[in-house]
Amino acid sequence: MTVPLAHDLTPAPRPDAPTVVFLGSLGSDRSMWSAQVAALADTASVLTVDVRGHGGSPGTDTGAPDDVTVDHLAADVTALLDSLGLGRVHVVGLSLGGAVAQTLAAQHPDRIASLTVLCSAARFGDPDAWTSRAHTVRRDGVASIAGSIVERWFTAEYAAAHPDVVDRCVTMVSAVPDEGYAVCCEALSRFDSRPLLGTITVPTLTIAGDRDPATPPDSLAVIADGIAGARLEVLSPAAHLAAIERASEVSALVRTHVTTHS
């Protein structure tokens, strides 16, 4: 069973403009894409989405199965597109959002005009680490680990120069409902898109941060190598939340990719 996702839809600047869908990281809400919304507003209709259990989106208390997978998160997005009457879209996802975006491209190639995967992976490391994090969050709350999470999102230099951004992100992570965060940790523990990469046929751009401790460039290279015609861009210096730390570069790359394939 799908859940209704909280979202913001910026109107198209013209009737034939493309629609770009942004899907965020574990622990984020749709505000993380504010720079990209501003950068693309004159080119495209922009849809920013809170994944299940994050931001304004409900979690698993709406009749959804207990064992939530990334497939379920992707089905939520497809249901949202249907409800908005959106057919073919460009999808951009970072981290968890990148996992959802890969799934959408594999399952619905007729609906995905292009795919951009940022700071993500085909498989997110040891599954036990994710189930352990889910256990910690259920026991101690997301706020107990928010600082350590955000510390990995930015390079030390960026964090020192932008303490206000760091503080906002810690607040954003802390606000995620504990169960919503934990369920998505468990979804990541089950995710493995490696068997699907060869079936993805949509134009694909992958973007990595050279100092990303969570999903380093090698993780994005696996995706780029597995999808025919995909390319990899590595931003430097950048850590995990490159959409914020290197906002202008990410926006320019996405804009060019979308424009080229619209």
Side-chain angles (χ1 to χ4, degrees), residues 36-249:
Q36 285 70 47
V37 173
L40 272 70
D42 66 338
T43 300
S45 174
V46 181
L47 176 64
T48 54
V49 180
D50 289 339
V51 299
R52 181 186 298 206
H54 286 58
S57 294
T60 58
D61 57 350
T62 57
D66 291 334
D67 293 332
V68 173
T69 66
V70 171
D71 282 356
H72 293 117
L73 305 183
D76 292 342
V77 176
T78 303
L80 173 63
L81 298 179
D82 290 344
S83 72
L84 296 173
L86 296 173
R88 194 165 168 82
V89 300
H90 301 262
V91 64
V92 181
L94 188 148
S95 194
L96 171 62
V100 177
Q102 291 173 66
T103 303
L104 289 168
Q107 294 180 348
H108 303 286
D110 57 321
R111 300 192 67 170
I112 307 302
S114 76
L115 169 65
T116 303
V117 181
L118 295 90
C119 303
S120 190
R123 183 168 176 79
F124 289 80
D126 181 2
D128 290 343
W130 291 107
T131 55
S132 176
R133 190 189 295 194
H135 173 75
T136 297
V137 165
R138 289 188 173 107
R139 184 190 64 207
D140 302 328
V142 177
S144 69
I145 62 171
S148 62
I149 290 168
V150 174
E151 186 176 0
R152 293 163 61 83
W153 278 5
F154 304 112
T155 61
E157 298 89 337
Y158 181 89
H162 300 87
D164 55 327
V165 175
V166 173
D167 289 346
R168 285 201 303 271
C169 286
V170 170
T171 298
M172 177 176 67
V173 175
S174 299
V176 176
D178 298 341
E179 186 62 18
Y181 189 96
V183 162
C184 286
C185 285
E186 292 166 340
L188 284 176
S189 78
R190 304 180 184 104
F191 178 73
D192 187 351
S193 69
R194 290 174 296 181
L196 301 177
L197 295 177
T199 71
I200 295 176
T201 58
V202 305
T204 300
L205 168 67
T206 66
I207 303 173
D210 67 331
R211 289 196 245 163
D212 183 352
T215 55
D218 286 353
S219 296
L220 278 299
V222 169
I223 299 171
D225 290 345
I227 300 174
R231 80 177 202 272
L232 169 62
E233 297 281 348
V234 180
L235 300 179
S236 177
H240 192 55
L241 226 64
I244 292 178
E245 182 165 2
R246 302 301 295 268
S248 60
E249 292 93 332

